[in-house]
Amino acid sequence: MGSIPGVVKGKRVGYGKFQVGLLLFAAVVGLSTVDAYMQPLSIYRVVSVWWLLIALGVVIWRYMDNREKIIAWLQIAVIISTGFLFISLFVQEWFSPMLSGSFRFKGVYFNPNTLGVALIFHLPVSFFLYLYAKRRPDMKGFWELFFLGAFVLGVLSLLLSGSRASVGGVVIGGMAAFTLYYRKRIMLLGLIVMLLMGAFFSIFEEVIQSRFFQRVLLREESIETFSGRTEIWDVSMELFREKPFLGYGFGTSDFVISTGGNPELVDYSKRFGLHAHNSIVRALLEMGLLGASFIIVLAVVLPFNFLKLASRVQSEELLLLLLTLFAVFVAGLANSFFESWLESVGSVTCFLYWLSVTLIFRIDFTPDDFVEPEDKPKVQRSF
């Protein structure tokens, strides 16, 4: 058996490298507390990160020791997230915000952007489980319809949330997965995408000009500053330049920005909160170049290794599972350029995201998943 990134020949090489990476990151996070802005708070939040790393590197790694367990866990996660979305339909205040023109769906998440981030995990996984259920005789019928309904509910919730960063992230993640799936038909895929985009912008011009699109999704008046994010980024980078190597301490960025930033941001904080609104900027501010380099390296190395892996996979089920987790990774990474949640250990979405990344490394395979005998027919795509 083996696991990414050392593919083929049945050797397990993922375990040691993955755990070493977690240990190095744990050390860097701890090092950021040495000269932290609010040391007791930073130490408290570093300990919570260490618990997360232990959960991922030891507990999850040992428990998720086969593909069936991973898929079973994904099913439970989507059932729970679908329950949250269903409950959201009843707790959401629908009519008065719609009448005032400021409607954005948030449900039980109490913030539309938080809902959007949660859907970065929900949408790819629910779509995978729908395809998985279609292929399994024991899951056809109820579960096939359930996961299809979960996906449709997720799409509607994402559009109604008006979370532009999440919509963009899901589209980018989905396109990355579809491109790898149809990698041998990339020209045809590109043509189809261009035709669909042309149809949308011509046939559905009324939709673009509609009140819903303008007020909920587009919000043209705030695009130039990304809803004020550019102000926060400027202040954050000024503060970063003062302590570029170890940063101000893990978990302290909100307080550093509010006390060391521009006094004119007081009004901004009342509207949006003094978060970095960019996970890379937040990492630079809290852990300096040393800590942020881990996220940057992962963002470069994992896709590179994944491309090599996906090009060799012949098992249809394994390919779909890997592409689903990769779509979550890419979508979350794209979203994190506008939201600062990648390091927010207290967020359930943060846990789901890093768990998905861990599973990319953890999935075991046999040589048959990669090497297909010549006398076997080529695998037929599900869609």
Side-chain angles (χ1 to χ4, degrees), residues 14-166:
Y15 182 81
K17 291 182 179 180
F18 185 76
Q19 271 63 28
V20 167
L22 293 184
L23 285 173
L24 288 174
F25 183 68
V28 170
V29 172
L31 196 61
S32 73
T33 66
V34 172
D35 189 29
Y37 176 71
M38 299 178 68
Q39 198 171 55
L41 174 67
S42 185
I43 292 174
Y44 172 78
R45 292 186 172 176
V46 163
V47 171
S48 66
V49 172
W50 287 346
W51 279 116
L52 173 65
L53 297 178
I54 291 171
L56 295 176
V58 179
V59 181
I60 297 299
W61 193 278
R62 289 184 179 278
Y63 176 74
M64 302 287 186
D65 57 357
N66 62 65
R67 227 172 287 172
E68 288 72 24
K69 285 185 179 179
I70 291 174
I71 294 175
W73 178 85
L74 293 177
Q75 290 172 345
I76 294 171
V78 168
I79 290 171
I80 294 173
S81 64
T82 303
F84 282 135
L85 291 178
F86 186 73
I87 295 171
S88 295
L89 298 175
F90 298 95
V91 302
Q92 173 73 30
E93 187 179 357
W94 291 96
F95 297 106
S96 60
M98 283 184 169
L99 294 174
S100 67
S102 60
F103 175 81
R104 290 181 68 188
F105 182 58
K106 53 185 180 291
V108 297
Y109 293 89
F110 302 109
N111 184 301
N113 291 330
T114 303
L115 169 60
V117 171
L119 290 168
I120 283 173
F121 171 84
H122 176 92
L123 284 171
V125 176
S126 60
F127 187 66
F128 161 74
L129 291 174
Y130 163 66
L131 296 176
Y132 180 77
K134 281 184 65 177
R135 297 163 58 88
R136 302 271 302 203
D138 58 326
M139 293 184 69
K140 274 188 172 293
F142 174 79
W143 287 113
E144 182 181 354
L145 291 174
F146 176 86
F147 291 122
L148 177 60
F151 176 74
V152 172
L153 181 59
V155 170
L156 294 176
S157 299
L158 180 61
L159 293 176
L160 289 172
S161 75
S163 176
R164 293 171 298 198
S166 296

